[in-house]
């Protein structure tokens, strides 16, 4: 073969290779388009064990029910929602480690935790990674971190307790109000928010006792509260501890009206306190009943069918939270990034089970609760609470 022929063949090979490379490049681009993101990966971080396990279970059921309904209708903006559940064991360190795991494994959204304390531990990790975090926690501290990636699926402690204090003082005429709360993030948030409302009304608590979140025996602080002769007892603690406080308070002869936020409206509180001890408890909550309207009735029916249980606040707000995420993703026209989801959540409006969602720059969307009273083991809305 001549030198001239060799050069022609070499040149031809170069051209062919270039054409093939160009074709491969176009094929890769087309392939990338056809295999574009098809799932929305959601990490559901919450307690599956320990004293707070019921909270994690309610959150899981609400989020999962919403995801099933959304997926059945084609997904969130065409993306199927894929949920991975992780157990934070009610522990902030574990919660933080799971948040890092969610970052490392490329999740798009994190639900969690059910606890304000654990959510606070997770928040800086998820914020740094620009992953939107939807939490059932309600401590005001969650909204004070300057994060654009935190979203509460219920009102803050300030909203719960402003409604509660107004009703107890103005409607019930309570003036000798005692307080007992725990020193976790939720309990501290409740304590500070309610005490601030008392100050606005020109009142000081006749007793103000603080316990630890896992404390089971409260006879010491409750005995001191009994000596103050309160006409109302405010509780700032999670469901199980609140129930124990009420049960022990009644056994010590404290007959003050129990007043509390969302935990007092749950089955866990009633089961722990006992129906007789819980009777007459005043509850501040955005979701008092499954019979509020046609949407809550439909939700409760679907929840009962899926789980064989009666729906309550935590399941309802987790359901709302997942619906908000899906609505936000649906506005992105397929251009889905974690940061874009967070930005979209700040823009959208949604009429949910708990009320109208419109997030402000602090991650709060709901600003109203209602008053209920426990009668015969059930929470009934108080008609003249406003």
């Amino acid at each position: 073969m001549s030198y001239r022929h060799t050069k022609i063949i070499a040149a031809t090979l170069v051209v062919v290779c270039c054409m093939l490379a160009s074709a491969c490049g176009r094929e890769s681009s087309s392939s990338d388009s056809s295999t574009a993101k098809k799932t929305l990966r959601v990490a559901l971080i919450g307690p599956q064990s320990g004293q707070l396990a019921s909270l994690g279970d309610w959150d899981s059921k609400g989020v999962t029910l919403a995801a099933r309904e959304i997926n059945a209708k084609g997904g969130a903006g065409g993306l199927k929602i894929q949920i991975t559940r992780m157990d934070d064991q009610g522990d902030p360190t574990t919660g933080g480690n799971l948040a890092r795991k969610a970052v490392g494994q490329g999740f798009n959204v994190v639900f969690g935790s059910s606890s304000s304390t654990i959510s606070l531990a997770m928040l800086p990790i998820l914020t740094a990674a620009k992953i939107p975090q939807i939490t059932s926690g309600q401590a005001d501290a969650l909204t004070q971190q300057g994060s654009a990636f935190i979203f509460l699926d219920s009102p803050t402690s300030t909203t719960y307790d402003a409604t509660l204090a107004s009703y107890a003082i103005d409607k019930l005429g309570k003036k000798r109000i005692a307080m007992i709360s725990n020193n976790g993030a939720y309990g501290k948030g409740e304590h500070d928010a309610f005490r601030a409302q008392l100050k606005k009304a020109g009142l000081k608590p006749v007793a103000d006792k603080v316990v630890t979140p896992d404390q089971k025996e409260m006879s010491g602080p409750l005995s001191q509260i009994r000596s103050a002769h309160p006409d109302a007892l405010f509780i700032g603690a999670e469901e199980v501890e609140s129930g124990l406080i009420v049960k022990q308070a009644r056994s010590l002869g404290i007959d003050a009206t129990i007043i509390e936020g969302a935990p007092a409206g749950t089955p866990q509180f009633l089961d722990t306190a006992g129906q007789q001890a819980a009777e007459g408890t005043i509850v501040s909550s955005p979701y008092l009943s499954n019979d509020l309207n046609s949407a809550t009735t439909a939700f409760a029916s679907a929840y009962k069918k899926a789980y064989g249980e009666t729906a309550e606040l935590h399941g309802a707000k987790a359901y709302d939270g997942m619906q908000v995420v899906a609505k936000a993703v649906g506005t992105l026209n397929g251009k889905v990034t974690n940061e874009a989801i967070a930005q979209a959540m700040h823009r959208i409006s949604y009429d949910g089970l708990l009320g109208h969602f419109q997030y402000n720059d602090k991650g709060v969307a709901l600003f109203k609760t209602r008053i209920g009273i426990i009668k015969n083991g059930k929470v009934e809305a108080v008609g003249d609470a406003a």
Side-chain angles (χ1 to χ4, degrees):
M1 183 181 295
S2 71
Y3 175 72
R4 181 172 176 273
H5 285 159
T6 302
K7 287 182 67 177
I8 291 172
I9 292 171
T12 302
L13 287 173
V14 170
V15 171
V16 170
C17 287
C18 288
M19 291 174 64
L20 287 172
S22 177
C24 288
R26 288 194 300 271
E27 184 177 317
S28 176
S29 176
S30 174
S31 177
D32 287 346
S33 176
S34 65
T35 60
K37 185 176 182 61
K38 294 182 179 179
T39 60
L40 184 74
R41 300 185 64 225
V42 176
L44 179 60
I45 300 176
Q48 298 176 39
S49 55
Q51 187 165 295
L52 301 179
S54 57
L55 293 176
D57 184 55
W58 289 327
D59 267 7
S60 176
K61 287 173 177 172
V63 169
T64 302
L65 179 61
R68 287 175 185 167
E69 293 179 359
I70 294 163
N71 284 342
K73 296 176 181 178
L79 304 182
K80 293 292 184 179
I81 300 170
Q82 181 184 79
I83 298 173
T84 300
R85 193 175 177 189
M86 304 178 186
D87 183 9
D88 64 31
Q89 302 172 33
D91 174 61
T93 300
T94 302
N97 289 337
L98 291 177
R100 293 185 185 89
K101 180 178 180 180
V103 173
Q105 294 186 355
F107 282 89
N108 306 114
V109 174
V110 169
F111 269 84
S113 173
S114 314
S115 156
S116 294
T117 301
I118 301 169
S119 291
L120 278 169
M122 294 162 56
L123 180 55
I125 299 163
L126 298 174
T127 296
K130 298 183 178 181
I131 297 177
Q133 176 186 0
I134 298 87
T135 176
S136 289
Q138 64 192 53
D140 288 276
L142 288 163
T143 70
Q144 296 166 354
Q145 308 304 309
S147 173
F149 294 88
I150 186 71
F151 300 91
L152 277 60
D153 57 20
S154 78
T156 64
S157 291
T158 292
T159 297
Y160 279 92
D161 295 334
T163 305
L164 187 62
S166 176
Y167 184 77
I169 297 167
D170 300 333
K171 294 290 185 179
L172 300 182
K174 304 298 183 182
K175 303 298 180 185
R176 297 186 58 79
I177 302 175
M179 299 175 61
I180 183 168
S181 54
N182 68 41
N183 57 8
Y186 173 75
K188 186 178 186 306
E190 287 291 293
H191 172 277
D192 293 352
F194 189 79
R195 181 138 189 171
Q197 296 304 316
L198 291 184
K199 185 177 181 180
K200 285 183 180 180
L203 297 176
K204 289 183 178 180
V206 295
D208 185 357
K209 300 301 174 184
V210 177
V211 297
T212 60
D214 57 352
Q215 194 163 328
K216 302 281 193 300
E217 173 56 54
M218 269 75 69
S219 59
L222 286 172
S223 294
Q224 296 175 55
I225 287 173
R226 180 182 59 186
S227 299
H229 305 292
D231 56 13
L233 175 59
F234 168 81
I235 300 176
E238 291 80 3
E239 283 72 5
V240 172
E241 187 168 48
S242 293
L244 289 173
I245 289 171
V246 171
K247 186 175 184 178
Q248 293 173 34
R250 297 308 192 213
S251 70
L252 288 170
I254 298 174
D255 59 2
T257 300
I258 304 298
I259 58 176
E260 187 170 13
T266 63
Q268 192 76 24
F269 169 83
L270 284 164
D271 290 346
T272 306
Q275 183 175 323
Q276 184 175 353
E279 186 74 6
T281 296
I282 302 299
V283 184
S284 172
S285 172
Y287 192 91
L288 293 171
S289 166
N290 291 320
D291 302 319
L292 294 174
N293 51 52
S294 59
T296 60
T297 301
F299 161 72
S301 176
Y303 192 98
K304 184 79 170 181
K305 182 178 180 180
Y307 306 116
E309 298 175 7
T310 301
E312 50 68 66
L313 166 67
H314 294 83
K317 62 184 182 177
Y319 178 94
D320 273 351
M322 187 70 254
Q323 294 285 358
V324 171
V325 170
K327 186 174 178 65
V329 172
T331 68
L332 297 177
N333 298 317
K335 299 177 181 178
V336 180
T337 66
N338 299 352
E339 188 171 6
I341 295 171
Q343 292 171 348
M345 287 183 69
H346 283 289
R347 294 192 299 265
I348 62 106
S349 294
Y350 172 71
D351 289 318
L353 302 173
L354 274 66
H356 181 71
F357 282 74
Q358 181 72 64
Y359 280 102
N360 64 16
D361 60 357
K362 294 183 177 180
V364 184
L366 298 169
F367 302 89
K368 181 180 179 180
T369 63
R370 302 176 178 88
I371 291 294
I373 183 171
I374 295 178
K375 291 183 178 180
N376 300 316
K378 293 184 178 181
V379 180
E380 296 183 6
V382 175
D384 63 347

